[in-house]
Each structure stands twice: as C-alpha cells, then as structure tokens.
Amino acid sequence: MLDRYSIAFLLIFSWHIVELNASAGDANPHYRDCVKQCEETGCAGHRCFANCKFSGDDLTHGPWYKQEPLYLQWKKWDCQSDCRYFCMVDIEKEKELNNGVPVKYHGKWPFRRIYGMQEPASVAFSVLNLAAHFHGWVSFFILLYYKMPLKDGKKPYYEYVNLWHTYALLSMNCWFWSAVFHSRDVDLTEKLDYSSAVALLGYSLILAILRSFNVRDEATRVMISAPLIAFVATHILFINFYKLDYGWNMKVCVGMAVTQLIIWAVWGGVSRHPSRWKLWLVVFAGGLAMLLELYDFPPYEGLLDAHALWHATTIPLTYIWWSFIRDDAEFRTSNGVKKAK
C-alpha cells in the first residue's frame, strides 16, 4: 500500500528540492555583507563565535568541533553556519519592526534554533512518528504471538508477518534520520535521510505487490522482489556516491509512490477486505495532507511551518494504518485456522 509514509517520504523529497543559493534572503546584499564580515571578524553584531577563530589547519588548536566534549559538539555549529544564522536573525528582526515579510535563506525559511536543532517542530513530530510506528509494531507483535492462535504453537498463521516486521524497522529508521536531518542539515544527514526514505518507498512497493496479489510462495516473492531491490540499491548508490540529482530522485520516488497508491486503491475495492475503509482513509487523508506542502508559509514564531504541520498529520494516520495491519492479520489468521480444521 501507499501508506502515509510512502506519501510522507515523497513529500520530504519535494521539500528539499531547492537551490541552496538562490533564495531571496541570501541574495540580499546586506545579508551577504554581514556574513562576509562575520567570517572575517568572528562576530555578527554583538555576538562573537569562538569557532570562527580556529581554522581546520591550525595544528595548535585543531578544528573547532574537536575542542568540545562529544555531548556538546552536537549543539555547536561551524563559523559559517553561525554567521549565516545570526545575520539572518538580525535582518529578520529589523524587517519585522518595519512590517516586512519573512523570506527564505539558502532554500529554507528563517527557523529559530532550540537546543541546537535547526527545525525543532519537524524534529519533534518526526520523533512522535517514530514512536507511533514503534507502538504500532509492538501492538502487532503482541496480537500475533499472545492474542491469536499459533500454528503448531510456535508460528503465526499470518503469512506476511516477517514483511511487516521489516516494514516497521525501515519506517522507524526513516523517521529517525528525518529527525536527525531536521536537527542538522549537512551533507551526511541529507544523504542518510534521502537514502532511508528511498529504501522505505522501495520496500513499501514490494510489500504492496506481495500483499495485494497474495504472493505466499517464497520463490515467487524473491523473483518479484529481486529486480526492485536491485533498482532501489542502485539508485541509493547513485545519489550517495555519484550525483545527488534532485530531479531524478523526485521522479523515482513519485513513480514508486504513485504505483503503490494505484495498487492499494484498486486492491481495496477488488478484495472487499473487511477493513478496507481504514486503507482508503489513510490514502485519502494522506492525499489531503499533501496540500500542506503546496501551501508553503513562513514558520509561525520561527517554529511551526507547513512541513512541520504535515509531519504532525501523519501521526494519527500511523495509528490507523497499523490498525489496518492488525485487522489484516486477524482476518488472514481466521481464514488460516478454518482451513487447518
């Protein structure tokens, strides 16, 4: 199925397809002069940054990020980042006094940092999505092994149990890296976020095909999954080690997402599944949530923007989706027990 996370990670990609040096804010000469002066003097207005005083080639002190304990390093930013951030803050405060409207800097709205987090609301909602997935996975596990009959007293009757376990792990991994990326947008966290999202989209497509076509034979599953796994793995290697092509990445993700949507929507109607309304609700509500990405507005109080709100909408959809998975397990288990008798 194209569950809310297939939609979710599709939207994450659309959120990041920006030119980092083509926004109105960083094109402002006043901003550019401020950043240049800050990088030369180590000060933006009345604020001065110790990390601007050390170069990466300084053999006496070493790079700034190696001079603090590990537990403090995450909250530290390099000289350029601090200069950009505080120059942006000062300019936006001045504009606010003159009733000006916020603009984007390097492709992002002017967010307010909290405990070193670049987009705190998106971080919080990403963590809540991770927690919702964990809750759904645990409840699924308890239902299978403690509340429903087991085959020979050991194995569940539900044929797709291992597929959903893998799905849960990939989903939690993806939301984890989403939280990390929104905390600190650097090349490494960006690639980890993109890669984990592509992996989940690809696996979700495989899962949609296997479940909707009721593929239970292991050999057939391998035959169906192998080419898709190869494609996804190749794409991940491409964006990580050759070129992070945003346009191509978007096409790949849209293709996998739309294919899942069609598969699950059609299957819901053809199969007459007893809980198909939950399936359709997630797809329909997820589609409406996409409108938040289209209605892009500056963050309220420097914290809450459309992207963060979209992250918030996926939290209740997570509970509904895992409810559908549990219902599907009960439905298939009931059929399995009847056949066994």
Side-chain angles (χ1 to χ4, degrees), residues 74-141:
W74 179 250
K75 297 167 68 173
K76 297 291 184 179
W77 293 74
D78 61 19
C79 180
Q80 184 186 63
S81 297
D82 275 337
C83 288
R84 286 181 174 182
Y85 175 73
F86 287 105
C87 284
M88 175 191 73
V89 168
D90 290 341
I91 290 174
E92 287 300 312
K93 283 183 178 179
E94 183 179 343
K95 287 173 59 180
E96 185 178 357
L97 293 175
N98 296 318
N99 297 320
V101 294
V103 296
K104 290 185 177 182
Y105 294 79
H106 305 283
K108 290 183 176 291
W109 288 113
F111 289 95
R112 180 158 57 92
R113 292 180 188 171
I114 295 181
Y115 294 108
M117 292 183 291
Q118 194 168 354
E119 299 174 48
S122 291
V123 172
F125 292 137
S126 293
V127 171
L128 288 175
N129 272 288
L130 190 158
H133 260 297
F134 180 73
H135 176 272
W137 182 36
V138 170
S139 63
F140 175 66
F141 184 89

Side-chain angles (χ1 to χ4, degrees), residues 128-158:
L128 288 175
N129 272 288
L130 190 158
H133 260 297
F134 180 73
H135 176 272
W137 182 36
V138 170
S139 63
F140 175 66
F141 184 89
I142 292 174
L143 174 69
L144 282 173
Y145 292 98
Y146 295 97
K147 295 184 178 181
M148 293 197 302
L150 298 173
K151 189 184 301 183
D152 300 325
K154 296 179 180 180
K155 298 174 61 177
Y157 282 90
Y158 189 47

Side-chain angles (χ1 to χ4, degrees), residues 164-185:
W164 288 118
H165 285 329
T166 304
Y167 167 79
L169 294 173
L170 287 174
S171 296
M172 289 186 290
N173 173 71
C174 200
W175 280 116
F176 171 78
W177 289 117
S178 173
V180 172
F181 176 72
H182 287 300
S183 294
R184 183 69 63 85
D185 179 0

